[in-house]
Structures are given as C-alpha cells and as structure tokens.
Amino acid sequence: MHFKKSNPAKLPTISTTSLPDIVFILLFFFMTVTTIKNQDLLVDNKLPLANETEELTKTDRVIEIYVGRPKQEHGPTKDAMVQVQIDDRLVEINEVGHQTIIALHKMPEHLRKMAIVSIKADSKVKMGVIVDIKKQLRAINLLKINYSTIEGDVFRNLRNRF
Amino acid sequence: MPRRKGAPEVNAGSMADIAFLLLIFFLVTTTIETDAGLDRMLPPAEPPEDVDVVIKQKNIFTVNINKSGQLLVEEEIMSIQNLRKAAIAFLDNGGDGSCNYCKGRRDASSSDNPEKAIISLKNDRETKYATYITVQNELVGAYNDLRNREAQRLFGRDFTEMEGKFLNPETPSAERDDLKPKVKRIQELFPQKLSEAETSTN
C-alpha cells in the first residue's frame, strides 16, 4: 500500500550499460581462441633459412608437401623413416606422386595447369628423399616447385642449430 | 514533469575506447603469414627429342655437394661463403665479347656470355637438405645480384623489388603491365640456367 503509492505502474528497468562489455569480452574470447586452421602437422618441420626467396602469393594453386620424420606422438619411434604429409595424411615416399595427383584433382580445373608444389622439408632431411620426390613430380608433370624456407641468414643453416 | 523518458540511455561514450583497444590489439598481434621460398622449375620427364646440343665445357659451372656438405666447384674445393662470388664471376664473364653489359674479366677459358652460361648442380643422396638449400640460395642470389645491377642501370630500381611487385596479385594491373616488359628484359639479360642432373648414388 505504501510502496504502490510511491511508484505507480512503472516497470523496473534493467540496466544495459554493461552489455557492450559483455559482448566485447565474448568477441575477445572468440578472436583469441580461433586460429585460421591450416593443417595439423604430423611430421617434424623445421624449415631451412634462405634470403633470396620469392613469396608464394597465389595460395589457391599451391599443393603443400611436408617432409620430415613423423612426430613422436604420431610415429612409433624416433628413428622412424622420413615420411611425407599431404592433406592431413602421412604417406610413404613412393606414394607421393599418386597422392599429389589426388590433391591436384581437388583443385578447380582452371588452376590445375598452374599448380605449384610447395615442398616444406625439414632441414634435417637427406637429399635422397627430396630427389625421389622430385623424380615423382616430374613423372606426373608437375614441374613448378617451391622449396619453402624461412627468411634468415643462409649460413646459419650450416651451423648445427639442431 | 511528464514521464516520457522511456528506457534510460546507455552511455556509449567509452565504446570508442573499447573499439580502439580492440583494433590496436589486433594490429599488434596479427602477422599476415605468407609463404616464401625458392622457386624452381623441374626439367620435363621426357627430354625433347632433338637434344644433341653440344655444350662447351667452359660454359658449364659445375657445383658438386658431397655427403658431408663440402663443395667442389669447377674441380676445386670451395667454401659456401665464396660460392656466390664465383658464380657471379662465371656468369658475368662475357668471354666472347658479345655481351656488352657484362663487367667480368672476359676470360676466354670461362663462359662465353650469360645466354650460354649454365650452372650445373649435383648433390649426393646423403647431402643435408639445409646445405642444399643454402647452395641453391647462393646460386639464385648470384643471378639476383646481377639482375639487380642491370635493373639499377636501366630502370634505377632493384630487380627483386620489381619482380615481387609484378608477381603480387594486389598490385594494380596498370602497374603490372608496365613492369612486365621490364622484368622480362632483365630476365633475358641474365637467364637463369640452373641444371640439376641425376644425383650420384655413392
């Protein structure tokens, strides 16, 4: 009776001043948590350094091949054979040509002729593996390759930085 | 006083500050990652049929990397640090005098002209990839140094910068059309002829 009289027919208003803060906190949360998903790396991949590089600007026509020893959580032992990762899967060296063709066919048709194979090989890999991969790429007529590197002083490659 | 105020207004004065904070945060933290690397062209699987071109030995600059990463350049042991200089001297030699922009020693026993000069790179199966990339980088660097020199002379800017602009899809097409003949011209002055033979197995 007393209360009713003092505040007649007015709905209590909810304060919305803190709403932007809440929204921004949410936004922050999502922006920091999300990463643009590239690929889960299944092999060790420490790229060599180089300074005379060219940028791979047209990413729509690139097939990425990761070369290295399988990571320990995926592979059985430390001395496992060097393997190749194409499209989230580990494949043996002698299947690279076949798997690359599969990756190539996922590309839109007009880009296939211009496809570039980006070889992301670990610096510890021996050239024999790279030579085998190159031979297979030649066999399937994918001739444009790019040895992926990190910008840096090349001579540091020669020192044992492992 | 009439009761027509409605809901109390949210004070949005600090909104701008918050937005700026966000903007600054993202500006600082984001790195646009572009892949970079050494571009190479593999030779086709089946060589063209009419290959009986005789290449004079003096026009070939042989680089051999053994399994422990040592270099044998033109039958002499060389450290990788000196490779670029040696490659430049070879490419820029201009032995037959037909190359009027070459500044080399015009040594008759070295390459005739940049058009004919070929760098042949051989490696062992046990060579480390990192070493191989270092050598590749130095050889590409030798070409780039020479091309930069010519681009500076002709157009007053670096070739690598011009090529990067030309290849970047974000460059306006008018500018790219302008760069295309220039890039091509420089590339023709020092064509990249880097051959990789089959690797030795031992």
Side-chain angles (χ1 to χ4, degrees):
Chain A
M1 296 84 241
H2 180 75
F3 293 114
K4 230 177 198 171
K5 215 177 190 177
S6 71
N7 214 347
K10 195 199 173 190
L11 281 170
T13 53
I14 301 164
S15 167
T16 54
T17 42
S18 60
L19 204 64
D21 302 51
I22 297 163
V23 171
F24 272 112
I25 286 172
L26 257 178
L27 195 76
F28 258 113
F29 175 74
F30 282 110
M31 280 179 159
T32 46
V33 166
T34 50
T35 48
I36 299 161
K37 205 214 168 220
N38 211 338
Q39 265 183 24
D40 262 346
L41 269 182
L42 307 173
V43 293
D44 280 341
N45 208 249
K46 192 169 188 179
L47 299 176
L49 305 168
N51 50 19
E52 300 288 346
T53 53
E54 281 168 64
E55 275 181 15
L56 266 182
T57 39
K58 294 165 185 163
T59 44
D60 52 352
R61 60 201 63 175
V62 175
I63 300 170
E64 288 175 328
I65 295 183
Y66 295 88
V67 188
R69 287 182 202 287
K71 279 194 178 163
Q72 265 175 314
E73 58 261 45
H74 302 288
T77 52
K78 222 163 75 174
D79 319 296
M81 288 282 289
V82 168
Q83 280 195 314
V84 175
Q85 180 188 354
I86 300 174
D87 276 349
D88 278 332
R89 260 174 310 126
L90 280 179
V91 295
E92 296 294 329
I93 310 278
N94 50 18
E95 293 170 55
V96 169
H98 180 65
Q99 294 294 336
T100 313
I101 285 196
I102 293 174
L104 186 69
H105 277 266
K106 286 181 192 157
M107 233 184 252
E109 205 165 346
H110 63 282
L111 292 177
R112 283 184 202 159
K113 263 187 249 159
M114 294 175 272
I116 302 169
V117 179
S118 167
I119 298 181
K120 293 173 190 284
D122 191 274
S123 2
K124 273 183 282 186
V125 166
K126 299 272 190 267
M127 274 312 290
V129 180
I130 308 292
V131 169
D132 291 344
I133 292 171
K134 283 202 290 190
K135 211 180 273 172
Q136 292 186 49
L137 292 178
R138 273 176 70 185
I140 59 173
N141 214 28
L142 272 174
L143 302 177
K144 264 186 142 172
I145 58 169
N146 180 290
Y147 298 111
S148 210
T149 56
I150 298 172
E151 189 77 29
D153 176 19
V154 269
F155 298 118
R156 274 181 54 208
N157 284 333
L158 306 177
R159 273 174 241 152
N160 235 347
R161 55 184 192 109
F162 314 114
Chain B
M1 195 164 144
R3 285 193 171 277
R4 308 205 53 213
K5 250 183 143 182
E9 235 171 85
V10 177
N11 178 18
S14 57
M15 234 8 186
D17 301 68
I18 298 165
F20 272 114
L21 207 73
L22 251 182
L23 193 77
I24 290 163
F25 170 76
F26 277 102
L27 280 180
V28 171
T29 53
T30 47
T31 49
I32 300 163
E33 238 180 80
T34 43
D35 261 343
L38 300 169
D39 271 332
R40 289 281 72 156
M41 198 79 185
L42 296 176
E46 278 149 48
E49 252 133 73
D50 51 338
V51 276
D52 255 341
V53 191
V54 182
I55 300 166
K56 279 187 231 157
Q57 189 55 45
K58 66 171 188 169
N59 281 326
I60 305 176
F61 183 76
T62 52
V63 181
N64 249 308
I65 321 171
N66 76 357
K67 64 180 169 190
S68 48
Q70 291 161 313
L71 284 191
L72 194 69
V73 178
E74 298 277 59
E75 312 301 322
E76 273 171 54
I77 293 172
M78 187 182 278
S79 78
I80 297 188
Q81 277 82 354
N82 299 329
L83 177 63
R84 186 186 293 222
K85 228 197 277 166
I88 288 177
F90 167 76
L91 293 170
D92 203 25
N93 180 50
D96 66 356
S98 67
C99 161
N100 52 21
Y101 49 88
C102 289
K103 298 203 173 79
R105 286 181 296 132
R106 308 204 179 271
D107 180 357
S109 62
S110 188
S111 76
D112 282 335
N113 55 52
E115 183 70 36
K116 283 188 182 157
I118 292 171
I119 296 181
S120 155
L121 177 59
K122 270 188 196 162
N123 60 270
D124 192 274
R125 281 188 74 89
E126 290 295 307
T127 308
K128 259 202 208 137
Y129 179 62
T131 313
Y132 173 78
I133 286 296
T134 310
V135 171
Q136 281 268 9
N137 183 77
E138 288 309 288
L139 295 178
V140 173
Y143 279 109
N144 280 347
D145 283 358
L146 288 169
R147 286 173 170 184
N148 280 346
R149 190 189 76 194
E150 290 311 304
Q152 281 290 358
R153 183 172 65 87
L154 294 168
F155 310 114
R157 56 202 286 203
D158 268 352
F159 170 78
T160 36
E161 179 241 324
M162 281 163 72
E163 195 190 26
K165 264 223 168 108
F166 170 63
L167 291 174
N168 191 343
E170 279 158 31
T171 311
S173 61
E175 201 182 340
R176 264 196 285 169
D177 289 343
D178 174 53
L179 282 173
K180 193 176 178 180
K182 294 181 181 171
V183 169
K184 215 163 174 180
R185 179 154 171 220
I186 302 288
Q187 280 174 340
E188 275 163 9
L189 291 181
F190 284 103
Q192 237 185 57
K193 295 195 171 170
L194 225 163
S195 119
E196 287 179 63
E198 301 286 310
T199 32
S200 49
T201 38
N202 50 345

